[in-house]
Amino acid sequence: MSAVSAPRTLLVWCPDWPVVAAEIVDGVSADGPVVVVRANRVVACSEAARAEGIRRGLRRREAQGRCPQLVVVEHDPGRDARAFEPVVAAVEEVAVGVEVVRPGACALAARGPSRYFGGEERAAERIVEQVAEACAVESQVGIADGVFAAGLAARAGRIVPAGGTREFLAEVTVEALERPELADLLRRLGVPTLGGFAALPASDVLSRFGFDGALAHRLAAGLDDRPLAVRRPPPDLEVTGTYDEPLERVDVAAFAGRALAERLHDRLGAYGLACTRLGIEAVTADGQELHRVWRHDGLLTAAAIAERVRWQLDGWLTGARRGAPARPTAGLVRLRLVPDGVLVHLGLQPGLWGDAGAERERAHRALSRIQGLLGPDSVVTAVTGGGRSADDQVRFVPWGDEREPARPAAPPMRMQEPVVVAIDDPPPPDESPRGKGKLPPWPGRLPAPAPALVLPQPAPAVVLDETGTPVGVSARLELTGSPAVLVIGEESAAVAGWAGPWPVDERWWAPGESRRRARFQVAVEDGRAFLLSLASGHWAIEAIYD
C-alpha cells in the first residue's frame, strides 16, 4: 500500500448525538440524566448522566443503580439519522461536498471553506455558528489529515497542523479504531497505541490481520483509507428505480430502497468490487432533486447499504428539526444509488457456483416469489447462536432478513474439558440483570458433538437401573443408580454407555421462564444415541444423535 497523504478534512461532530436525537424526535429532555441503551449496554449518555458516574459500556441496571432518576431510551439508528439530516443541510448552506460519516458526524474537504472564510480556524467557527443558529444543536469541529484523524480531533476540539497528524495519533489508544477484537489482540501483543500499530510493517499487518486490519493500519498511520485502490466506477454500476405512484410514506420508500441496495451490492459483487462511499439521489414528483453522500470506514455490505438508504429516506420524508420541519415538496418518483467510491476486494470475487452472480440471483428471486405468494415466514433459514441446550441454540429467520442470533454465541466446549457447573450459575452477560460479564459464556453448555435432530416436543422416557428401579438425581447431583435400560413408550433398549449429568438452572430471575433440569447423553446397544433430560423426576428425550 502506498503512503499517499490524506487530504485536509474538516469534520463536524455533535456530542452525545443519540441523546440529542431522542430530544429532537421524542421530546426527551437532554438537560437531565439520560442514557441511550442497546442490548442492555449504554451507548450514549447526557452530561448530567456523566456527572453521576455513568459511562458508555455500562449495563443498564448498573447505570440505574448509580442514578435512580435516570431516563433510559432505547437506541434507534433511524431516529438518529432522521434528526441529523437538518444538521447536514445547515452545513451545506456554508460549504459544499458534505459526506455523512454516521449520524452525528459529517465531513468535508477543508480547503474550500478555509480559503473562503480566511483560514481553517475561522471556517470551523463559522460552521459551528451555522449549526447552532439553524438547528439549535451544539457541535465541535476538528481538522486534520484524513477523516479518521479529523474525527478524533473534533472530539478534542483541535485543529491539527498540516503534516502533524501522525504525531497527533501516536499516543491515541488502539480502542479509537472501534474494532474491539483487533484492539484486544493488539493490547495482548503489547501494542497499546496507534503509534505502535502504525510502526508495524504493512505487509506483516496484512498477512496477520487481513484486509480490515490493513485498513485500520492505514488509519493509525494517519493515511486516509480512500486512496486505497479507489477508482471511479463504470457507469453501469449505478442502480435506479422509478415509481408511478410517488413514495410519500417512509416504510414504502424504505422497501423500495432495500431492493435497490440489494441490486447495487450484487452488481458490485459481480465485478469483485466493494463500496466505501454511497451517493443517494432522489427526485420528487414536482422535480425537486435531493442528494446525499454517506461514507463508511470499511466495506459497505448489502445490509449496510440498505440501512443507510433507509436512514436517508427517513430523514428526507420526515424532516425532523427543532422548529418547522423541512420536507420534500412532493413524494419521491425516482431513486438512484451511486457507488461514489469503490475498490477491488478479492473476498467478493464470484465463486464456483456464482456466489455473486446469476445462480444466486435466481435462487433469491425464486425464494422471494414464494414469500410473496405464501408470506414472509414460508421460507426461513436457520441461524445458530448461544444457549445451553440444543433446542435454544437455533432460531429460524425469514429469507432476506438479518441473520442475527437470538442470543450471543460461544465457542463449543471440548469433550476433554471438565464440566463443573453449580446449579445456580448465573446466565451469560446481557441476559441476567445481575450478570457482571466475568464468567465464561454459557456455563453448563452441552459438550460436542451436537445432536443431529432436535425434537419439536420432548418425548417421554424412563431410565431404569439394573434392578428395574427408576434412576433419579439427588440434590448433590449424584445418581441413585447406574442407567441400564432406556424405555421409550413400549420399547426397551439396553444402555451401552452414558455421560452426565450436566445440570442447569436457567433464567432463575424470571419465574415464568425458568427451567431446572439435568441432562445426559445416552447410547444404547443398537447404535442409537439420545440427549435425555431429567426435570421434576420425569425423563424426556430432547434430541437424537446421528
Side-chain angles (χ1 to χ4, degrees):
M1 299 179 187
S2 59
V4 179
S5 298
R8 295 291 287 172
T9 303
L10 184 151
L11 188 138
V12 182
W13 173 64
C14 298
D16 308 324
W17 183 251
V19 176
V20 177
E23 181 181 30
I24 295 173
V25 178
D26 298 334
V28 179
S29 176
D31 295 332
V34 181
V35 296
V36 178
V37 299
R38 178 177 58 201
N40 284 328
R41 294 276 186 178
V42 176
V43 297
C45 56
S46 64
E47 186 64 33
R50 280 192 291 273
E52 299 290 338
I54 298 173
R55 296 293 183 270
R56 290 179 57 187
L58 277 182
R59 294 181 177 280
R60 179 203 296 254
R61 185 170 292 270
E62 186 174 352
Q64 291 174 326
R66 295 186 182 185
C67 181
Q69 66 272 24
L70 188 67
V71 177
V72 179
V73 181
E74 289 295 330
H75 184 236
D76 183 356
R79 177 185 62 210
D80 298 348
R82 184 166 65 250
F84 193 57
E85 172 59 23
V87 177
V88 181
V91 177
E92 284 185 327
E93 294 178 5
V94 295
V96 297
V98 180
E99 301 178 11
V100 180
V101 179
R102 61 181 178 278
C106 60
L108 62 149
R111 180 181 178 184
S114 64
R115 294 179 65 181
Y116 182 81
F117 292 108
E120 293 180 341
E121 185 174 351
R122 290 187 179 181
E125 293 174 353
R126 180 66 186 91
I127 290 177
V128 170
E129 292 174 359
Q130 174 68 17
V131 172
E133 293 173 0
C135 306
V137 169
E138 177 187 355
S139 63
Q140 295 180 195
V141 168
I143 301 178
D145 299 336
V147 175
F148 174 70
L152 297 179
R155 293 177 179 272
R158 290 186 54 183
I159 297 178
V160 180
T165 297
R166 185 158 188 151
E167 291 74 16
F168 167 70
L169 295 174
E171 299 303 321
V172 179
T173 61
V174 292
E175 283 74 17
L177 294 170
E178 296 185 352
R179 292 165 169 84
E181 295 182 358
L182 176 62
D184 178 67
L185 179 56
L186 289 174
R187 281 197 172 274
R188 287 189 279 116
L189 293 175
V191 185
T193 64
L194 297 182
F197 186 36
L200 299 177
S203 58
D204 293 345
V205 172
L206 178 61
S207 61
R208 176 62 179 86
F209 300 106
F211 187 78
D212 188 63
L215 288 177
H217 184 256
R218 288 183 60 87
L219 298 178
L223 304 174
D224 204 352
D225 63 333
R226 179 128 358 121
L228 183 62
V230 172
R231 63 181 180 87
R232 188 157 187 84
D236 61 346
L237 289 183
E238 303 168 358
V239 295
T240 304
T242 56
Y243 312 99
D244 297 332
E245 293 291 333
L247 308 178
E248 297 181 350
R249 290 171 42 193
V250 174
D251 55 344
V252 177
F255 183 81
R258 176 178 175 180
L260 286 180
E262 292 177 350
R263 283 174 51 193
L264 175 62
H265 185 266
D266 290 344
R267 188 168 295 182
L268 289 170
Y271 285 92
L273 301 174
C275 180
T276 61
R277 196 171 65 167
L278 175 68
I280 305 173
E281 301 176 359
V283 179
T284 65
D286 58 5
Q288 182 185 8
E289 297 184 358
L290 306 171
H291 177 74
R292 183 71 69 237
V293 176
W294 281 81
R295 177 194 177 94
H296 182 64
D297 290 330
L299 305 179
L300 285 167
T301 62
I305 294 174
E307 189 174 56
R308 281 152 180 79
V309 172
R310 177 174 59 83
W311 291 347
Q312 189 57 62
L313 294 175
D314 198 0
W316 279 336
L317 295 176
T318 305
R321 178 197 289 266
R322 284 191 174 106
R327 297 186 57 182
T329 54
L332 308 180
V333 295
R334 186 165 73 243
L335 289 177
R336 184 164 170 254
L337 303 185
V338 182
D340 197 28
V342 297
L343 52 85
V344 177
H345 184 40
L346 296 179
L348 295 179
Q349 292 290 347
L352 178 62
W353 299 105
D355 295 342
E359 295 299 325
R360 181 180 180 275
E361 180 64 22
R362 287 176 56 195
H364 178 73
R365 287 199 304 266
L367 296 176
S368 299
R369 174 66 174 166
I370 295 174
Q371 287 181 308
L373 295 173
L374 304 179
D377 294 332
S378 60
V379 181
V380 296
T381 57
V383 180
T384 58
R388 298 183 179 87
S389 300
D391 58 350
D392 56 13
Q393 293 180 21
V394 177
R395 66 182 290 256
F396 293 97
V397 298
W399 174 262
D401 287 3
E402 289 290 335
R403 293 174 52 81
E404 294 291 337
R407 302 177 180 181
M413 193 179 299
R414 295 191 299 268
M415 284 294 290
Q416 61 267 30
E417 291 179 346
V419 182
V420 181
V421 181
I423 197 71
D424 291 325
D425 271 347
D430 295 340
E431 189 183 358
S432 167
R434 285 186 278 172
K436 299 301 180 183
K438 298 181 180 179
L439 294 175
W442 302 111
R445 182 179 183 180
L446 285 172
L453 175 63
V454 179
L455 302 182
Q457 295 294 333
V462 177
V463 177
L464 307 175
D465 61 13
E466 296 178 351
T467 64
T469 304
V471 177
V473 177
S474 69
R476 295 180 175 272
L477 303 178
E478 296 177 350
L479 272 67
T480 58
S482 180
V485 178
L486 173 62
V487 181
I488 307 173
E490 299 181 355
E491 177 188 1
S492 299
V495 174
W498 60 275
W502 289 280
V504 63
D505 189 358
E506 293 184 296
R507 303 186 68 82
W508 35 259
W509 66 93
E513 304 176 18
S514 61
R515 291 196 301 178
R516 181 171 181 168
R517 65 196 191 283
R519 295 154 300 161
F520 297 79
Q521 292 171 335
V522 175
V524 294
E525 289 186 345
D526 60 9
R528 293 177 296 169
F530 303 93
L531 174 63
L532 303 181
S533 65
L534 176 62
S536 302
H538 299 284
W539 288 88
I541 300 176
E542 292 189 353
I544 301 173
Y545 292 91
D546 191 352

